[in-house]
């Protein structure tokens, strides 16, 4: 057992050690579990899951081995394998002690790329024995991730397994670090106006990661003669005998330098994969202008950033730690590289695929960073430069950039056995895994753009009363690049433009900005409001005051046809925003506005209503709300299955059950083709097994997708409980039942919420424009 491990047991534990041990032991030991992807809730299902039904796919696989990918999880299953000979910085602590690391790797595979993992700790130090064990596992896994195996054996093991196996084999300690480091080096050279072919690189450490970094650097254009590698014996030079092996020999060069200090004189780049404190301030001083330092020893770097910047204020520094900028973290690489490799059934992860990952990561760092990434880091803003060379580990876009790049490289280099035919559809599938919100908004954006293109009509104009809101402006940055709407901002132009400049949103400068009281149609709008509301207590002077309010002005723009839709509420009370919409745009012909939430849970989309407007709707109002919700479902080409919810099942005794039963009857009468039933309890509505076993009379057979609540209390409480306790994705509320598209946000909304709402609003506006007389959405109902 190493001294470090002994220290944890014999000395008083630090708070970090206590927290780490509690994290791994409570509430259940370990970090992973196996969860079935199929239900075995009945005797029939048991007969399919195991004998006799399981024999059928066995026979098919025996006839066609490739069908194993169709009938088993092999295609999405990776083995994380170690022999425990080089675990973290703890050294050779054995396979048993290395198990927490392997479990952790499995967690990251699953969380970041939805890849299933079995961790395997082999008691096999001998490379031949190790390789035989791993090779025998090929029928089980779609890929092999080698982990924490000491050098030089790790090189021999990976090379042999890659030759002998027909599935990807990847030693992350080598290549993961090299890929992220390569991306950081590309961008650091760009920031400092250096050329890769001209830089002089000093590497401290000559283990697996260092050797792989050197190879990647050369593939990116660094000259072999410009790389000086150092180990515990000093510089690796031509003719050195002590501590050499064939892998170090590849980096031996003619040089008079013998120490790390000698090597660093005039160097452009220092790459540390060694031990804490290996670089001193004096060493840093002798490097060239604007030195690039990657101090990646963990947990403490070769030189910490505060020390480095004190000695050399012009330094650009990266470490392996999350508490400093420019964290070189392997999680930016391995989950997404394997995702791409598995999805095309690659036979290996080759150099082309690694370089594709390098370039994808480097390019992503130059993109505008979304608010949700900043939010994950305490609201800290990020932009490409010395303090932000590579994306953050929690940037969800890494999956969407790296994975397709790796998959395409596999195809182009001839190692893909299942090429991707439609990369847009592939990216959409990645987004769908990444989060229901992302997948939802992307699908809506695609549909809006495709419908606009197909119809030849221009995209809808959407007006935003809160023109100076930071959240609105940031959301528009995303929306504007998609081209799904023409935005119009209301407010003081100078104030809004100043806010754009403050936020660095130069690409929004061409968006029209309207000051309501200075608009040419202001007087016309005032007169119209007076005409509409003079018998409801609004005099001319009051109409002038109200029309200067951006919310009233926005609603009038929509009412008069000068805009197609309005989105508001990011900074104001919900009721204050709804009022102008109802007074000017007005409810539909059945005079029932309502709120709808989209609830996405385990890849299932549900529609909850009413969640925002009607405290205790009548049966007629409930029916109208259900019809509006059904039409929203039809937007997404989902067949509506409507459940009228109450506290009983098909008894209709009591005020609420009777109301909901009557509402179901009204919907059936007005829309006979809709699948609707009630009253019923919530579990009956969403669980088909209950219907099949207990209530076969129920017309909703496969689980309801539209849940209509008897009161606002029930609807509002339900969606928030599902969101907070069930982990569901909740989008909305959206305003239904108004004559023209209008939606009100909640003040607690995020930028993503606004993007979602605008996307759906654009879809509503397009549907309205295509058929004004029979708007097939939530604005009208017969």
């Amino acid at each position: 057992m190493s001294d470090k491990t002994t220290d944890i047991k014999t000395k008083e534990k630090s708070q970090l050690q206590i927290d780490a041990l509690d994290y791994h032991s409570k509430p259940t030991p370990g970090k992973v579990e196996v969860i079935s992807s199929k239900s075995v809730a009945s005797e029939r299902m048991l007969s399919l899951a195991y004998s006799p039904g399981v024999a059928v796919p066995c026979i098919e696989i025996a006839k066609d081995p490739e069908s194993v990918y169709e009938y088993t999880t092999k295609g999405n299953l990776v083995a994380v394998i170690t022999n425990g000979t080089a675990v973290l910085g703890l050294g050779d602590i054995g396979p048993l002690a290395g198990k927490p690391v392997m479990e952790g790797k499995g967690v990251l595979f699953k969380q970041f790329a939805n890849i299933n993992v079995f961790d395997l700790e082999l008691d096999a130090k001998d490379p031949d024995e190790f390789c035989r064990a791993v090779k025998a596992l090929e029928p089980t896994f779609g890929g092999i991730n080698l982990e924490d195996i000491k050098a030089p054996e790790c090189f021999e093991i990976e090379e042999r397994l890659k030759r002998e196996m027909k599935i990807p084999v990847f030693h992350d300690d080598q290549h993961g670090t090299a890929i992220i480091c390569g991306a950081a080096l590309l961008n650091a050279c760009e920031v400092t106006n250096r050329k890769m072919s001209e830089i002089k690189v000093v590497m401290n450490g000559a283990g697996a990661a260092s050797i792989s970094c050197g190879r990647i650097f050369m593939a990116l254009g660094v000259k072999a003669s410009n790389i000086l590698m150092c180990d515990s014996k000093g510089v690796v030079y031509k003719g050195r005998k002590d501590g050499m092996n064939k892998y170090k020999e590849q980096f031996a060069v003619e040089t008079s330098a013998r120490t790390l200090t000698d090597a660093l004189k005039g160097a452009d780049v220092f790459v540390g994969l060694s031990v804490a404190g290996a670089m001193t301030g004096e060493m840093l001083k002798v490097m060239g202008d604007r030195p690039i330092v990657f101090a990646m020893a963990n947990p403490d770097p070769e030189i910490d950033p505060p020390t480095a910047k004190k000695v050399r204020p012009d330094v650009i520094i990266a470490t392996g730690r999350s508490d400093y900028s420019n964290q070189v973290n392997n999680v930016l690489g391995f989950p997404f590289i394997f995702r791409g490799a598995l999805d095309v059934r690659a036979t290996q992860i080759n150099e082309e695929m690694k370089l594709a990952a390098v370039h994808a990561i480097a390019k992503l760092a130059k993109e505008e960073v979304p608010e949700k990434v900043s939010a994950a880091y305490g609201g800290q803003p990020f932009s490409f430069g010395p303090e932000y060379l590579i994306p953050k580990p929690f940037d969800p876009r890494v999956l969407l950039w790296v994975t397709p790049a790796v998959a395409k490289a596999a195809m182009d280099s001839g190692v893909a056995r299942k090429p991707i035919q439609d990369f847009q559809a592939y990216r959409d599938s990645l987004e769908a895994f990444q989060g229901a919100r992302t997948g939802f908004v992307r699908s809506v954006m695609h549909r809006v753009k495709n419908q606009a293109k197909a119809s030849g009509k221009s995209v809808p104009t959407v007006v935003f009363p809160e023109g100076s809101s930071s959240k609105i402006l940031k959301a528009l940055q995303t929306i504007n690049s998609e081209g799904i709407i023409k935005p119009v901002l209301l407010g003081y132009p100078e104030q809004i433009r100043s806010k754009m400049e403050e936020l660095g949103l130069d690409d929004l400068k061409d968006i029209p900005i309207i000051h309501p009281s200075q608009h040419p149609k202001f007087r016309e709008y005032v007169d119209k409001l007076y005409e509409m509301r003079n018998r409801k207590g609004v005099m001319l002077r009051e109409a002038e005051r109200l029309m200067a309010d951006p919310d009233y002005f926005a609603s009038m723009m929509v009412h008069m046809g000068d805009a197609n839709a309005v989105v508001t509420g990011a900074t104001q009370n919900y009721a204050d925003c709804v009022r102008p919409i109802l007074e000017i745009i007005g409810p539909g012909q059945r005079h029932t506005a309502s709120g709808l939430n989209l609830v996405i849970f385990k890849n299932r989309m549900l529609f909850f209503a009413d969640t925002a407007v009607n405290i205790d709707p009548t049966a007629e109002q409930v029916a109208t709300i259900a019809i509006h919700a059904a039409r929203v479902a039809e937007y997404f080409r989902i067949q509506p299955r409507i459940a009228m919810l109450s506290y009983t099942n098909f008894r209709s005794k009591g005020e609420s059950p009777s109301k909901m039963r009557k509402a179901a009857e009204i919907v059936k009468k007005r829309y006979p083709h809709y699948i609707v039933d009630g009253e019923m309890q919530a579990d009956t509505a969403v669980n088909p097994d209950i219907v099949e076993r207990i209530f076969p009379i129920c017309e909703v057979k496969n689980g309801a997708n539209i849940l209509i609540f008897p009161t606002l209390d029930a609807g509002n409480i339900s969606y928030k409980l599902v969101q907070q306790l069930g982990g569901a994705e909740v989008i909305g509320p959206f305003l239904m039942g108004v004559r023209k598209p209008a939606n009100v946000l909640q003040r607690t909304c995020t930028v993503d919420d606004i993007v979602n709402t605008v996307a759906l609003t654009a879809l509503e506006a397009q549907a309205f424009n295509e058929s004004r007389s029979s708007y097939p959405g939530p604005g009208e109902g017969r």
Side-chain angles (χ1 to χ4, degrees):
M1 184 176 289
S2 75
D3 290 341
K4 294 185 181 180
T5 306
T6 304
D7 286 346
I8 293 177
K9 287 188 173 289
T10 58
K11 294 181 180 179
E12 184 176 349
K13 295 182 178 69
S14 69
Q15 189 59 50
L16 173 63
Q17 291 168 340
I18 293 170
D19 291 345
L21 293 175
D22 284 347
Y23 176 82
H24 283 78
S25 63
K26 300 175 183 177
T28 56
K31 299 191 288 288
V32 295
E33 64 179 335
V34 177
I35 298 175
S36 173
S37 63
K38 301 291 191 297
S39 173
V40 191
S42 67
E43 186 175 354
R44 171 66 173 166
M45 290 179 180
L46 179 60
S47 71
L48 294 173
Y50 203 57
S51 183
V54 72
V56 179
C58 291
I59 293 168
E60 292 299 315
I61 294 168
K63 290 189 295 186
D64 176 16
E66 281 298 298
S67 66
V68 70
Y69 291 98
E70 183 178 352
Y71 299 118
T72 76
T73 191
K74 175 181 171 72
N76 194 46
L77 184 62
V78 166
V80 174
I81 307 180
T82 189
N83 62 6
T85 53
V87 180
L88 302 177
L90 303 175
D92 185 355
I93 61 174
L96 191 64
K99 187 172 177 62
V101 179
M102 305 310 119
E103 286 190 355
K105 200 83 169 189
V107 170
L108 299 180
F109 266 110
K110 188 65 177 179
Q111 292 296 320
F112 286 92
N114 199 30
I115 294 172
N116 299 318
V117 164
F118 287 143
D119 62 285
L120 302 174
E121 295 73 35
L122 303 183
D123 187 8
K125 289 187 177 182
D126 178 69
D128 288 337
E129 185 182 359
F130 186 93
C131 286
R132 281 195 299 271
V134 174
K135 187 179 177 183
L137 296 168
E138 185 167 355
T140 302
F141 296 99
I144 304 292
N145 183 97
L146 301 174
E147 195 77 17
D148 289 350
I149 303 168
K150 72 181 180 73
E153 288 90 336
C154 63
F155 301 114
E156 301 167 11
I157 287 170
E158 186 192 39
E159 289 169 2
R160 176 173 165 182
L161 291 175
K162 286 182 72 172
R163 284 195 310 269
E164 298 180 2
M165 299 179 77
K166 295 180 180 178
I167 58 174
V169 177
F170 184 82
H171 184 206
D172 185 52
D173 298 309
Q174 291 184 57
H175 311 301
T177 302
I179 287 166
I180 313 309
C181 196
L185 183 60
L186 282 176
N187 285 344
C189 285
E190 181 172 331
V191 168
T192 58
N193 296 313
R194 287 180 167 101
K195 293 181 180 179
M196 294 288 284
S197 60
E198 298 175 356
I199 60 173
K200 295 181 179 179
V201 180
V202 175
M203 305 186 69
N204 196 48
S210 292
I211 297 293
S212 190
C213 281
R215 291 171 176 172
I216 282 279
F217 292 169
M218 288 189 287
L220 293 171
V222 179
K223 293 178 180 178
S225 58
N226 282 349
I227 298 176
L228 284 182
M229 184 171 286
C230 303
D231 61 10
S232 59
K233 307 291 185 181
V235 174
V236 174
Y237 59 88
K238 283 282 187 184
R240 198 184 102 173
K241 302 298 182 184
D242 191 18
M244 294 293 286
N245 57 48
K246 65 179 182 178
Y247 302 102
K248 292 182 187 179
E249 200 65 51
Q250 299 171 20
F251 294 91
V253 295
E254 296 286 355
T255 178
S256 60
R258 292 295 182 266
T259 67
L260 177 59
T261 302
D262 294 340
L264 283 170
K265 291 176 182 176
D268 300 292
V269 181
F270 169 80
V271 176
L273 289 155
S274 52
V275 295
M279 173 180 249
T280 66
E282 293 303 311
M283 292 178 182
L284 180 56
K285 285 180 181 179
V286 303
M287 291 184 70
D289 293 338
R290 300 195 74 184
I292 298 167
V293 173
F294 295 166
M296 294 179 287
N298 264 322
D300 298 312
E302 285 80 1
I303 185 169
D304 64 76
T307 300
K309 290 179 180 180
K310 184 177 181 180
V311 174
R312 289 292 299 268
D314 61 339
V315 70
I316 294 175
I317 186 166
T319 71
R321 293 178 54 137
S322 60
D323 51 349
Y324 297 126
S325 59
N326 294 323
Q327 183 190 13
V328 177
N329 192 320
N330 287 20
V331 79
L332 284 171
F334 69 84
F336 316 111
I337 293 166
F338 266 98
R339 179 76 276 157
L342 293 174
D343 289 342
V344 296
R345 293 186 196 165
T347 56
Q348 61 176 283
I349 295 172
N350 58 25
E351 294 308 306
E352 290 88 345
M353 295 161 74
K354 297 172 197 173
L355 289 173
V358 170
H359 289 291
I361 294 167
K363 288 177 182 176
L364 176 57
K366 301 171 193 176
E367 296 291 308
E368 198 75 32
V369 181
E371 185 202 40
K372 59 187 171 186
V373 177
S374 296
Y377 293 88
Q380 181 182 354
F382 302 109
S383 60
F384 180 65
E387 300 297 315
Y388 181 75
L389 297 173
I390 49 177
K392 291 293 182 178
F394 284 103
D395 190 331
R397 300 171 301 166
V398 179
L399 174 71
L400 308 179
W401 282 65
V402 176
T403 301
V406 170
K408 187 174 187 306
M411 290 164 57
D412 293 343
S413 60
V415 298
R417 290 187 294 161
K418 183 189 173 186
I420 292 168
Q421 303 300 322
D422 183 344
F423 266 91
Q424 185 57 62
Y426 179 55
R427 289 186 179 91
D428 290 346
S429 71
L430 295 174
E431 286 181 333
F433 148 69
Q434 200 172 55
R437 288 168 177 256
T438 304
F440 161 79
V441 72
R442 181 61 56 190
S443 66
V444 173
M445 286 180 173
H446 286 328
R447 185 170 173 196
V448 172
K449 288 190 289 186
N450 291 339
Q451 286 186 182
K453 186 175 181 180
S455 65
K457 295 179 180 178
S458 59
V459 295
T461 297
V462 179
V463 59
F464 297 87
E466 300 156 307
S468 60
S469 162
S470 297
K471 289 191 291 187
I472 291 290
L473 293 174
K474 289 178 181 178
L476 283 178
Q477 183 180 34
T478 298
I479 290 290
N480 218 31
S481 64
E482 295 288 346
I484 66 169
I485 65 165
K486 293 179 180 176
V488 174
L489 300 172
L490 301 187
Y492 294 101
E494 300 82 7
Q495 183 180 357
I496 294 173
R497 296 196 190 285
S498 174
K499 179 64 70 173
M500 288 179 181
E501 185 176 346
E502 176 188 329
L503 298 173
L505 304 177
D506 294 338
D507 49 339
L508 301 185
K509 62 180 183 299
D510 294 328
I511 293 178
I513 301 173
I514 295 174
H515 187 301
S517 62
Q518 295 178 6
H519 191 264
K521 289 193 173 183
F522 179 73
R523 177 50 55 187
E524 179 185 348
Y525 286 4
V526 169
D527 293 342
K528 186 64 179 179
L529 180 61
Y530 175 67
E531 177 189 325
M532 295 170 69
R533 306 289 297 175
N534 60 25
R535 291 185 177 272
K536 297 182 184 289
V538 177
M539 297 295 99
L540 188 59
R541 187 177 293 273
E542 177 69 0
E544 288 180 353
R545 186 189 68 79
L546 290 174
M547 199 46 60
D549 182 325
D551 277 292
Y552 275 86
F553 192 90
S555 292
M556 188 62 76
M557 285 183 72
V558 175
H559 177 72
M560 298 291 282
D562 296 320
N564 303 110
V566 57
V567 173
T568 185
T571 62
Q572 303 171 83
N573 178 274
Y574 191 91
D576 292 339
C577 296
V578 167
R579 189 178 302 110
I581 293 170
L582 297 181
E583 290 179 358
I584 297 175
I585 298 175
Q589 61 192 40
R590 290 190 179 272
H591 307 291
T592 302
S594 62
L596 172 80
N597 281 89
L598 276 66
V599 177
I600 306 175
F601 183 67
K602 293 183 178 178
N603 297 319
R604 183 177 177 185
M605 183 181 287
L606 301 172
F607 303 85
F608 284 30
D610 174 18
T611 57
V613 179
N614 300 282
I615 295 174
D616 188 7
T618 65
E620 178 72 28
Q621 288 175 316
V622 170
T624 300
I625 291 167
I627 291 166
H628 290 168
R631 290 183 165 184
V632 173
E634 289 173 334
Y635 280 172
F636 301 99
R637 297 179 174 86
I638 294 173
Q639 182 186 26
R641 297 191 300 275
I642 308 166
M644 298 293 187
L645 301 183
S646 189
Y647 57 83
T648 62
N649 283 304
F650 310 109
R651 290 187 178 183
S652 299
K653 292 181 179 180
E655 184 178 345
S656 173
S658 298
K659 176 176 74 172
M660 301 309 283
R661 182 64 196 164
K662 183 179 178 181
E665 293 169 354
I666 293 170
V667 173
K668 289 179 183 178
K669 184 177 180 180
R670 286 164 58 184
Y671 288 87
H673 66 285
Y674 278 164
I675 299 171
V676 57
D677 212 339
E679 86 295 353
M680 68 181 77
Q681 294 177 347
D683 56 348
T684 304
V686 299
N687 190 338
D689 289 342
I690 294 178
V691 172
E692 183 180 350
R693 289 185 292 106
I694 304 174
F695 301 107
I697 59 169
C698 180
E699 295 182 24
V700 181
K701 299 294 186 186
N702 298 314
N705 49 31
I706 297 175
L707 304 182
I708 305 299
F709 297 89
T711 65
L712 179 59
D713 280 346
N716 192 275
I717 290 169
S718 294
Y719 90 77
K720 290 183 177 178
L721 280 176
V722 170
Q723 181 182 39
Q724 297 300 321
L725 298 182
E729 294 275 6
V730 175
I731 303 169
F734 299 106
L735 189 61
M736 304 190 299
V738 290
R739 285 196 174 93
K740 293 184 178 182
N743 279 307
V744 180
L745 304 158
Q746 298 193 66
R747 277 186 292 184
T748 56
C749 68
T750 65
V751 169
D752 283 346
D753 293 328
I754 298 170
V755 171
N756 290 332
T757 300
V758 174
L760 185 59
T761 303
L763 185 58
E764 290 181 65
Q766 203 167 68
F768 180 84
N769 290 340
E770 287 174 1
S771 183
R772 289 174 181 267
S773 61
S774 58
Y775 175 33
E780 287 296 342
R782 285 181 285 165

